[in-house]
Structure formats: C-alpha cells, structure tokens
C-alpha cells in the first residue's frame, strides 16, 4: 500500500470521552479543561464540584448520569469535549454524541477485570467506524509491563492497539513517559505540564524496541516506511507523525497514551496528539456522507432548562447557522432562538456557528435528540438510524395527588425527551403508566428528576404481570334473566355452549340459533354480555382461549331488550365457567442473555433459579469470549433479573425479552398469585 496523506487537520474538533464505569473519564475531562484554561482548577471526581457531574442526581450518586459538553481552546484551536457516562445503565447518552463526533478518547484502567466492560465500548466504536485513541489512566497505580497489559486488552478491540508511549519506572512507580514518535522523555509534575528530560540510559534499549514495534505496525500501510525499516534507515520524524495521523483517521490503529488524569499527568501530550492527529469536521462529514452545501447539523443531546427552555445541543457538520434561522428535520422544524456555547451547565450566547462547532440551539421544541437538521425549506435526511434500546427494568408510576396527573404526563415527556433510552407508556389494559429503563439506577435518577426538578410526589409499584385464565372443560348451560317490577319487565333467555380453544387462539363467538328463538337484533347483545364477563374470570383475571356458541333461547315480545340478553349471557357464563373449571395462565417470555464466557456458570444458575428453561447457547458472533443464552422464562421472574445478571458479570451482561406464549400455572405458585391479586384488589377498592 502506498503512502497516504497525513498532516495536521485544522478547524474545530469534537471529541467524545468514553470508557467503563469508574475508569476516570470525568477526571480526564476536568484535567483537560484545567490544562486548556477553560476552568481555573480541576475538581476531584465525586466532590460535587466538577463540570461533568453538575446535576443534583450526579452529585447525589457521585457518578455521571448524562453527557456533559464543554467548549475550550488549545494552542489556538477550538475543541469540544463531551464527557459520557461509563455506567452501562446510562451508556445510551453516548450514542447520539458518537453519531457526530470526530473521534473518541477511550479511558481505560490497567486492570484486566475491566476488560469485558472495555470491550463493550471498543466494539461500539469499531462498529461505528469512529476513530479513537485509548488513554491508559491511573498509570501511577499500575504494576508490571504495560505491553503485557496491552496484550491482555487487545482481544477487547477489533482494531490493533498501538502503544504510542511507554512509562518511565522508578522504584516500581511510573514517574513519566517516553514518546515513541518524537523520542522524547517526559517526567510528570502534578497538575502541570511534564518536564522534558533526556531519555534515561536505562530505558534506551526498551524505547528502541518499542519504537521499532510501533513503526512495524505503521509500515503495514506505508510501503516506503517498510523499505526504510528493511534497509535499517531511520524514517523522518514528520513522516512518522503523518503515518500516525493517517492510520488513526482511517481506523487502522488505536494509539495508546498513558497518564494519571487525577494528577494531571499525560494531558498535554494527549491534547497535542488530538490537535495534530485527530480528524476534523471535513473528514467526519465525508465519513458520514454529508454532501450538502447548506447547513447540516446533528442533534447530540436535549436539555430542558428552567430559564432558557429547551436547548438542543448540535454539531454543525456543514455550512453555518445564525440566531433566528429556520431549521428542519424529517420529523419537524423550528426557528432557532439563541445560540450558546457550553461549559457544563454554564452557557454563553454567541452570534453564529460554523462547520465543526458544537453548540446549543434554543427553542427547537419539535426537534428530538438524534435528529439531522438542515434548512427548513429542504429538511435533511437522517444521517443514520437511531438505536432503540429495549427496557430491561420497569416500574409503574402515578402522582400521589390527583392535581399532579397532568403535570406528571408533561414532566415524563420532557424527561424522555432528554433521555431517549427512557421508555414511557400508558398500558390501556392495566391502566398503568409504565416507565422502563436500563437498570435500577437509571429509573431511580428518572424518579429523582420528577420530584426534584418538577416537584411531583410519586407513588411507584411493580408493573402488573399480564396474568390470564382459561377453562379446562366444556359445558352447555342456560342463563335466564327475568325481572318484573311494574310496567315493562326484563326478560332474556339463552343457552350457550362453552369449550376451550388452543393456547393463543383468544376468543371466538358463534351462533347456531334457528327458528328465531333469539331474535337477530339481540344476538350482538348476547356476545357483548359474554365479552363483558370475560374481563374478569373466577380467579380475578381476564378469560382467554375459549369459544362460546349461542344455540338456543327464548324471548318476550314486550319485556325482552338488549340489556336483558346481556345480563342473561352473563348469568350463563358465570354458571358455565364454574362447570368447566378455571386454570391460571402466565406469560412466558423468550429471554436472550449476552454474557462474558467467564460468567456462564453464574448466569445459567440465575436463570434456572428463576424457572428459566435453557434452550441453548452459542458464541456471540464477532465477540471473543462472549456467549448468547436463549431461555424461556415466566414474565413474573424478570423482576430484578438485570440486577442479578450485572452483579454476576461486573456490570456488563444484558438481556432482551419478547412474549413467546402463555402457559398454565398451578399449585402453590398459582395459589399465591390469586391470593395476592385478591388482596391488592380489595386494597384498591
């Protein structure tokens, strides 16, 4: 392969900071903002004073719960960094960010236990084709060879990890780094730029060996460099930098930098690499297929503020925008009311924005996170299909006070607008408002926003399981309703046949009436009476999978009516179903679990203890050391399943479920369900 164009890209850049939970992303975010003088001093993660974790919920739980944006400059160039949560429960926050970012910095720890969590992040970036670097954080706490650690991390990435720096060790502690590209040594200084020093004699041989390995990898994509290595000719430094830049932008390598973000170590070299090697908006627009001459923007996040209203954080991929411009998407349009640069929760008004800028747009009420915006007269086509996450945990919510019901609906809409991974649905059958999310903490934060931000007191309970009942036998029964109380009376008389249907066939009503014993105009009333009875069977649940046939009956010329035949049908159904015998049905879900192979024994135990029937398992396609387990499990057993699965897998396992069939439930479990339902019905009454 011939040499490709390298060199420094110019223009505003947008960089996502991602990585496993507790790897130090917010610490790196703070250190970058301090080093670029966007803030006076970096705050410690978990202190409640960081730019990244500025929401009440983040402060309360000492963790990132949403993406945080900060605009800054470095060496005269505009950079936007977006700190994305590491918890798998809030991982979706990164999705719309990654859709328009130029590159990502993956923050990782020198800890092989975190490899499965790191794999989730790296594989997503590989799938998106997004260039990324890896920042090996907490190097001050590392032990052993960094290259050995990289060998352990490599299976987590489809793209080769390329060591760009090696540590300088002193008494078993990393005190600095040697940059393999410019062959300079840097000694760490706390919360300051590292000091340039000569490469220690003791490290010279190790540096030469590591540098040669780096150049060998780069020569895979540069024939001229390969010839130079074969001829033992030292390549020019500028050509090495060009190769590093080109390979990063093409997604051929993942350069690995090392440092300790909490101490401010390794930050300047990382920033210089971003400035020189990282792609800018022209490269990103080409990668995303943006061809328009006019404005094209991608919405990365939605923020509802108490003062400025709705803000849509967007990346300008082409063209320019100004206050008051009309922008439109496939789903709606609006007039921009205010442009704002961001540093966390602090906003600053600006007049316009150009390609590469990341900013907040005011009052685009019809625009959702993930939308692609263009000129209102020529709405842009979506750049990509939005990822839809199925909820893995749900709760039913209701306002404690009736006066807050309308307010609750509006607040839920706003919270879901900010967080598209939150699922809100009104279940018509159970009359419940269901909020679904990605885990226990995800739902807890949503509830805290309802109470803290919107002042709504909430009651919650577990969503009702879709229990049903059916019949075991067949019968024929007469039902008569007769009442005389002065004037016209009431008279209806029916004979019905009841029989069970196959599971899943629902309900069927037929009639074989002859001779007009039940006039045609009353037959729909009989069916209506039957259907009304099916809403609540003898066990307290809707009746399904049975057929009812109206065969005989009688009527009175004066006293018969629609209501009389409805009531007669209910009498017949009550007696008939009692004759047939009822059985409880429970919904069975098909559950697909993804888990690291190392946790297979624990995960299968969890599934079987929850009455899961293991159908089989296979390797997860394209994923080393991961498996997919197929299981049939009662819906009632899904409660808290995700908590157990993640506890057993260091937070990385997940599952998807879909309805499969209804199955009979008998014995003590069925008795407990009926008893609990009866108790809850009395309490509700």
């Amino acid at each position: 392969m011939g040499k490709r164009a390298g060199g420094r890209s110019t223009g505003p850049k947008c960089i996502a900071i991602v990585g496993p939970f507790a790897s130090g992303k917010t610490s790196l975010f703070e250190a970058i903002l301090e080093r670029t003088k966007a803030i006076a001093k970096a705050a410690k993660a978990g202190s409640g004073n960081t730019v990244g974790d500025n929401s009440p919920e983040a402060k309360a739980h000492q963790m990132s719960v949403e993406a945080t944006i900060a605009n800054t400059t470095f060496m005269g160039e505009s950079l936007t960094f977006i700190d994305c949560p590491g918890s798998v429960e809030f991982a979706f926050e990164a999705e719309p960010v990654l859709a328009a970012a130029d590159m990502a910095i993956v923050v990782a720890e020198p800890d092989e236990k975190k490899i499965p969590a790191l794999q989730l992040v790296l594989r997503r970036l590989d799938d998106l084709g997004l260039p990324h670097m890896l920042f090996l954080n907490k190097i001050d706490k590392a032990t052993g060879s960094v290259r050995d650690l990289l060998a352990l991390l490599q299976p987590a990435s489809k793209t080769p990890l390329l060591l760009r720096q090696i540590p300088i060790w002193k008494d078993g502690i990393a005190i600095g780094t040697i940059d393999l590209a410019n062959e300079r040594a840097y000694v760490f200084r706390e919360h300051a730029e590292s000091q340039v020093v000569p490469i220690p004699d003791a490290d010279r041989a190790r540096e030469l060996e590591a540098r040669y390995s780096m150049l060998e990898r780069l020569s895979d994509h540069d024939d001229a460099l390969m010839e130079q290595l074969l001829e033992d000719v030292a390549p020019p430094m500028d050509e090495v930098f060009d190769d590093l830049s080109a390979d990063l932008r093409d997604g051929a390598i993942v350069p690995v930098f090392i440092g300790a973000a909490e101490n401010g170590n390794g930050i300047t070299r990382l920033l210089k690499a971003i400035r020189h090697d990282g792609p800018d908006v022209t490269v990103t627009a080409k990668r995303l297929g943006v061809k328009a001459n006019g404005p094209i923007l991608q919405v990365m996040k939605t923020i509802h503020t108490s003062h400025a209203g709705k803000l849509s954080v967007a990346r300008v991929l082409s063209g320019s925008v100004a206050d008051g411009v009309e922008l439109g998407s496939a789903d709606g349009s609006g007039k921009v009311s205010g442009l704002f640069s961001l540093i966390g929760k602090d906003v600053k008004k600006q007049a316009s924005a150009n390609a590469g800028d990341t900013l907040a747009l005011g009052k685009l009420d019809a625009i959702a996170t993930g939308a692609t915006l263009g000129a209102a007269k020529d709405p842009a086509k979506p750049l990509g299909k939005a990822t839809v996450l199925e909820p893995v945990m749900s709760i039913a919510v209701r306002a404690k006070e009736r006066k807050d019901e309308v307010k609750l609906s509006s607040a839920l809409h706003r919270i879901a607008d900010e967080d598209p991974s939150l699922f809100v649905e009104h279940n018509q059958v159970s009359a419940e408002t269901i909020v679904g999310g990605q885990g226990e903490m995800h739902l807890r934060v949503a509830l805290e926003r309802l109470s803290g931000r919107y002042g709504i007191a909430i009651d919650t309970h577990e969503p009702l399981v879709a229990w049903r009942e059916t019949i075991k036998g067949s019968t024929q029964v007469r039902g008569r309703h007769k009442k005389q109380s002065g004037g016209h009376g009431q008279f209806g008389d029916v004979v019905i046949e009841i029989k069970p249907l196959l599971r899943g066939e629902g309900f069927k009503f037929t009639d074989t009436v002859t001779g007009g014993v039940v006039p045609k105009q009353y037959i729909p009333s009989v069916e209506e009476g039957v259907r009304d009875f099916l809403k609540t069977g003898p066990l307290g649940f809707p009746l399904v999978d049975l057929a009812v046939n109206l065969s005989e009956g009688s009527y009175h010329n004066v006293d018969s009516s629609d209501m009389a035949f409805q009531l007669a049908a209910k009498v017949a159904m009550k007696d008939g179903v009692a004759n047939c015998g009822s059985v409880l049905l429970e919904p069975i879900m098909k559950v697909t679990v993804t888990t690291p192979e190392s946790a297979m024994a624990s995960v299968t135990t969890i599934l079987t203890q929850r009455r899961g029937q293991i159908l089989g398992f296979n390797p997860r396609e394209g994923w080393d050391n991961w498996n997919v387990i197929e299981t049939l499990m009662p819906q009632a057993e899904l409660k808290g399943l995700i908590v157990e699965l993640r506890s057993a897998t260091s937070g990385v396992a997940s599952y998807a479920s879909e309805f499969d069939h209804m199955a009979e439930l008998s014995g003590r479990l069925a008795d407990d369900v009926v008893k609990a339902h009866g108790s809850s019905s009395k309490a509700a009454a």
Side-chain angles (χ1 to χ4, degrees):
M1 181 182 293
K3 189 170 182 64
R4 294 160 299 155
R8 184 169 68 84
S9 58
T10 59
K13 293 184 176 74
C14 180
I15 303 99
I17 300 177
V18 297
F21 177 68
S23 57
K25 296 176 299 302
T26 298
S27 294
L28 178 61
F29 188 55
E30 287 284 307
I32 286 171
L33 296 181
E34 180 187 57
R35 191 60 47 86
T36 59
K37 303 188 186 317
I39 59 175
K41 186 177 181 180
K44 189 172 182 179
S47 67
N49 298 314
T50 60
V51 173
D53 298 339
N54 55 62
S55 71
E57 299 79 30
K59 291 178 180 179
H61 300 293
Q62 297 187 3
M63 63 183 289
S64 299
V65 298
E66 60 188 328
T68 304
I69 299 92
N71 300 117
T72 187
T73 58
F74 179 69
M75 297 180 70
E77 292 191 11
S78 175
L79 302 175
T80 298
F81 290 91
I82 305 180
D83 180 21
C84 301
S87 167
V88 68
E89 298 190 31
F90 300 96
F92 185 82
E93 284 280 319
E95 284 295 312
V97 171
L98 299 176
D102 295 316
M103 63 176 293
I105 303 299
V106 182
V107 184
E109 297 177 72
D111 182 356
E112 61 182 291
K113 296 189 186 75
K114 296 288 186 73
I115 290 176
L118 180 64
Q119 189 172 11
L120 292 178
V121 177
L122 291 173
R123 284 305 301 266
R124 185 58 185 148
L125 297 175
D126 285 334
D127 291 345
L128 290 170
L130 184 67
H132 50 286
M133 299 175 174
L134 191 145
F135 183 74
L136 190 57
N137 194 24
K138 306 179 184 180
I139 193 64
D140 53 327
K141 296 171 183 167
T143 57
S145 165
V146 169
R147 279 192 286 177
D148 288 346
L149 176 63
L150 224 60
L152 288 173
L153 296 180
Q154 183 59 67
S157 173
K158 291 198 304 187
T159 307
L161 303 178
L162 184 70
L163 197 59
R164 174 72 187 268
Q165 299 171 315
I166 59 172
I168 300 172
W169 299 101
K170 183 178 180 180
D171 298 329
I173 298 173
I175 62 165
T177 62
I178 300 173
D179 191 296
L180 302 177
N182 66 13
E183 294 193 280
R184 291 180 182 174
Y186 301 85
V187 174
F188 295 146
R189 295 189 294 180
E190 193 158 329
H191 297 291
E193 288 191 36
S194 298
Q195 180 182 358
V196 181
V197 298
I199 296 176
D201 292 339
D203 293 309
R204 173 59 71 177
R206 191 165 60 92
E207 183 271 334
L208 290 173
E209 181 187 358
R211 187 171 195 269
Y212 188 81
S213 295
M214 180 188 77
L215 295 175
E216 268 192 318
R217 174 63 69 182
L218 295 178
S219 72
D220 290 344
H221 307 283
D222 184 348
D223 295 340
L225 177 58
M226 182 172 289
E227 290 179 14
Q228 290 169 335
L229 294 180
L230 291 173
E231 295 171 5
D232 202 23
V233 174
M237 190 176 295
D238 61 341
E239 292 184 10
V240 173
F241 277 105
D242 284 349
D243 277 333
L244 286 166
S245 175
D247 284 358
L248 169 67
R249 295 176 201 179
D250 289 351
I253 60 170
V254 179
V256 179
F257 294 81
I258 57 181
E262 196 169 275
N263 301 326
N265 299 151
I267 306 304
T268 301
R269 295 308 307 163
L270 178 65
L271 283 167
K272 287 185 176 180
I274 291 169
R275 179 177 179 269
H276 183 278
D277 301 345
D280 63 11
V281 70
T282 57
V283 178
T284 301
K286 183 178 179 181
R287 173 172 59 83
L288 296 175
V290 175
K291 299 178 181 178
N293 294 321
I296 297 292
L297 298 85
Q298 186 71 15
V299 179
M300 296 172 142
K301 183 172 176 59
T302 298
I303 305 170
H304 285 276
T305 69
S306 56
H307 302 297
K310 180 175 176 175
L311 296 178
S312 300
V313 179
R315 179 87 193 286
V316 184
L317 295 171
S318 74
S320 60
V321 291
D323 195 4
V325 70
E326 292 268 357
L327 296 175
S329 71
D331 299 319
S333 61
K335 183 178 181 180
V336 175
S337 178
L339 303 178
F340 306 91
S341 63
L342 300 159
I343 297 184
K345 64 182 179 181
D346 296 327
V347 299
K348 183 179 179 181
K349 199 159 188 178
Q350 63 185 66
S352 62
N354 300 311
D357 288 336
T358 303
L359 74 162
L361 310 172
K363 303 294 179 65
L364 294 180
D365 293 335
I367 303 304
T369 299
T372 303
L373 302 177
K377 294 180 180 178
D378 184 23
K381 294 180 180 178
L383 291 178
K385 189 175 181 181
T387 303
V388 178
L389 291 181
E390 293 296 325
V392 295
M393 196 171 194
S394 299
I395 53 173
V397 302
R398 66 183 178 191
K400 281 189 176 182
E401 298 185 34
R402 185 176 293 274
K403 66 181 179 65
D404 286 336
E405 288 179 356
V406 174
K407 189 178 177 183
L408 172 61
S409 178
S410 174
L412 284 172
H413 171 77
R414 288 189 177 191
I415 289 174
D417 193 29
E418 288 184 329
D419 180 2
S421 68
L422 205 64
F423 173 84
V424 180
E425 177 193 48
H426 183 71
N427 188 315
Q428 298 289 345
V429 177
S430 65
E432 295 174 301
T433 297
I434 307 297
V435 179
Q438 300 308 306
E440 192 173 31
M441 183 61 72
H442 188 207
L443 294 177
R444 184 182 301 173
V445 166
L447 294 180
E448 288 171 355
R449 285 173 178 159
L450 284 174
S451 59
R453 192 185 300 179
Y454 298 102
I456 304 173
I458 300 294
D459 281 329
T460 65
H461 62 269
E462 287 293 324
L464 298 177
V465 175
W467 305 105
R468 297 292 182 265
E469 58 183 278
T470 191
I471 57 173
K472 294 187 288 186
S474 302
T475 191
Q476 178 174 296
V477 66
R478 179 180 292 274
R480 176 175 289 185
H481 175 70
K482 183 177 181 181
K483 189 174 182 182
Q484 193 71 41
S485 57
H488 288 307
Q490 297 179 30
F491 183 84
D493 178 35
V494 298
V495 176
I496 59 173
E497 299 156 351
I498 307 173
K499 64 178 182 180
L501 294 176
L502 294 176
R503 196 69 62 239
E505 288 194 305
F507 168 67
K508 294 179 182 178
F509 179 85
T510 56
D511 79 270
T512 54
V513 174
T514 59
V517 292
V518 177
K520 287 185 178 180
Q521 69 265 32
Y522 294 135
I523 293 176
S525 298
V526 175
E527 181 178 356
E528 186 176 346
V530 171
R531 288 185 178 276
D532 196 45
F533 179 84
L534 297 179
K535 293 177 182 177
T536 308
L539 302 179
F541 304 99
L543 275 161
V544 295
D545 299 340
L546 73 162
V548 174
N549 179 64
L550 172 63
S551 58
E552 294 183 46
S554 62
Y555 71 101
H556 188 278
N557 284 329
V558 176
D559 293 342
S560 289
S561 65
D562 289 326
M563 181 56 69
F565 273 98
Q566 285 184 37
L567 294 172
K570 290 181 182 180
V571 171
M573 286 297 295
K574 181 178 180 181
D575 293 341
V577 169
N579 293 342
C580 295
S582 297
V583 62
L584 187 66
L585 298 177
E586 67 174 340
I588 304 298
M589 314 297 285
K590 185 176 182 181
V591 180
T592 304
V593 179
T594 53
T595 177
E597 193 174 70
S598 58
M600 277 290 290
S602 299
V603 170
T604 52
T605 298
I606 290 168
L607 297 177
T608 53
Q609 286 176 342
R610 289 172 171 264
R611 296 193 286 141
Q613 177 190 347
I614 307 294
L615 301 178
F617 63 89
N618 293 292
R620 188 176 186 183
E621 188 175 350
W623 289 64
D624 292 333
N625 304 315
W626 278 71
N627 284 336
V628 177
I629 308 173
E630 299 282 354
T631 310
L632 290 178
M633 180 181 290
Q635 182 189 6
E637 299 290 348
L638 295 183
K639 176 184 175 182
L641 173 61
I642 192 64
V643 177
E644 273 200 89
L645 289 176
R646 288 181 177 155
S647 177
T649 60
S650 300
V652 297
S654 193
Y655 76 87
S657 66
E658 60 181 353
F659 174 77
D660 192 80
H661 66 279
M662 300 295 288
E664 291 187 16
L665 181 65
S666 58
R668 181 178 174 183
L669 288 174
D671 293 341
D672 290 344
V673 169
V674 174
K675 183 179 179 181
H677 181 74
S679 299
S680 62
S681 297
K682 289 177 183 177

